Amino acid sequence: DSGVTQTPKHLITATGQRVTLRCSPRSGDLSVYWYQQSLDQGLQFLIQYYNGEERAKGNILERFSAQQFPDLHSELNLSSLELGDSALYFCASSSQGTLSSYNEQFFGPGTRLTVL
Amino acid sequence: EDKVVQSPLSLVVHEGDTVTLNCSYEVTNFRSLLWYKQEKKAPTFLFMLTSSGIEKKSGRLSSILDKKELSSILNITATQTGDSAIYLCATGGTSYGKLTFGQGTILTVHP
């Protein structure tokens, strides 16, 4: 158990809908990262927040947005869902916001999103 | 754009064998290389290699970073069925936390 929690574990929804995925980082970690894992694309970085502020952005679609709240939990919002958005969404956390030594990222159990 | 390539994509061995997994990278402003093990769900952290730490070892697992060749290897000795998993290599190339992952190596260890 990494200490990172994600809810829900599974989510089944229809195309065009909007969903919210939630992540709580390890105690004391300030950075939260969101990744998408699909069979054809592998594990892809979406976005990073550090202490409430957006720090880095990957190939995140405009239909997707995220935020980190004062208690450091984070939410990933996915809207106008398409079939291709079906994937495993991981949240990870680390103590700092940079890739310095000992700043490894610990992954949560993931949310499996199925869009029908 | 940063790129990480792992080889082989798939590997089948028997218990007791030694395996070597490869990872090569093209990263702007390389900062670190990380190895993860992914079984059923979440990737679990194995090693982090940086310029100040190019070799790591934990039990039967060890990893080396070759900054000249822009590559890393993960060695697993005396493999066990519990080592069956996807092994992911990832690199970070900016001052922030973004990781670029390779496609992974699927390791299957038969009894």
Side-chain angles (χ1 to χ4, degrees):
Chain A
D1 184 357
S2 68
V4 179
T5 61
Q6 289 186 248
T7 56
K9 289 184 180 178
H10 301 278
L11 201 46
I12 301 174
T13 188
T15 54
Q17 296 298 304
R18 173 189 168 93
V19 298
T20 297
L21 313 183
R22 182 188 168 102
C23 166
S24 292
R26 295 187 315 158
S27 176
D29 282 359
L30 298 177
S31 260
V32 169
Y33 312 79
W34 286 98
Y35 292 88
Q36 179 192 59
Q37 187 175 40
S38 58
L39 283 175
D40 56 340
Q41 294 287 329
L43 202 55
Q44 301 279 320
F45 169 77
L46 295 178
I47 196 164
Q48 175 198 3
Y49 277 82
Y50 175 73
N51 205 19
E53 294 187 4
E54 183 184 303
R55 182 59 70 94
K57 220 169 184 177
N59 295 326
I60 186 168
L61 299 171
E62 285 191 12
R63 300 183 286 108
F64 295 2
S65 64
Q67 54 184 328
Q68 185 179 28
F69 295 87
D71 66 353
L72 300 177
H73 91 272
S74 177
E75 292 181 356
L76 179 67
N77 300 296
L78 315 175
S79 61
S80 302
L81 285 168
E82 302 175 359
L83 295 177
D85 298 327
S86 295
L88 201 50
Y89 290 85
F90 287 110
C91 167
S93 74
S94 67
S95 58
Q96 302 171 43
T98 64
L99 282 168
S100 58
S101 296
Y102 313 116
N103 191 30
E104 56 268 22
Q105 296 179 23
F106 294 90
F107 282 73
T111 293
R112 181 168 294 284
L113 173 67
T114 302
V115 183
L116 301 175
Chain B
E1 188 174 319
D2 297 346
K3 189 176 178 183
V4 178
V5 177
Q6 293 184 243
S7 64
L9 292 180
S10 180
L11 192 55
V12 180
V13 300
H14 287 95
E15 270 192 322
D17 289 349
T18 293
V19 298
T20 298
L21 311 183
N22 301 285
C23 174
S24 63
Y25 60 88
E26 295 174 23
V27 178
T28 303
N29 299 322
F30 173 85
R31 297 277 175 149
S32 59
L33 185 143
L34 295 86
W35 284 97
Y36 287 85
K37 177 183 181 182
Q38 185 173 22
E39 295 175 89
K40 293 180 182 177
K41 271 283 187 90
T44 53
F45 173 77
L46 294 175
F47 298 118
M48 183 179 197
L49 302 161
T50 67
S51 297
S52 58
I54 62 172
E55 190 166 350
K56 293 284 177 72
K57 182 176 170 64
S58 176
R60 296 177 296 102
L61 277 66
S62 62
S63 183
I64 298 173
L65 176 68
D66 187 337
K67 287 199 69 182
K68 187 176 177 183
E69 297 296 325
L70 305 184
S71 65
S72 174
I73 60 170
L74 176 68
N75 281 319
I76 307 176
T77 60
T79 52
Q80 303 170 358
T81 54
D83 294 326
S84 296
I86 300 173
Y87 289 84
L88 297 165
C89 172
T91 60
T94 70
S95 61
Y96 304 124
K98 172 189 172 182
L99 291 178
T100 299
F101 281 84
Q103 66 274 58
T105 293
I106 303 172
L107 174 64
T108 304
V109 182
H110 288 310

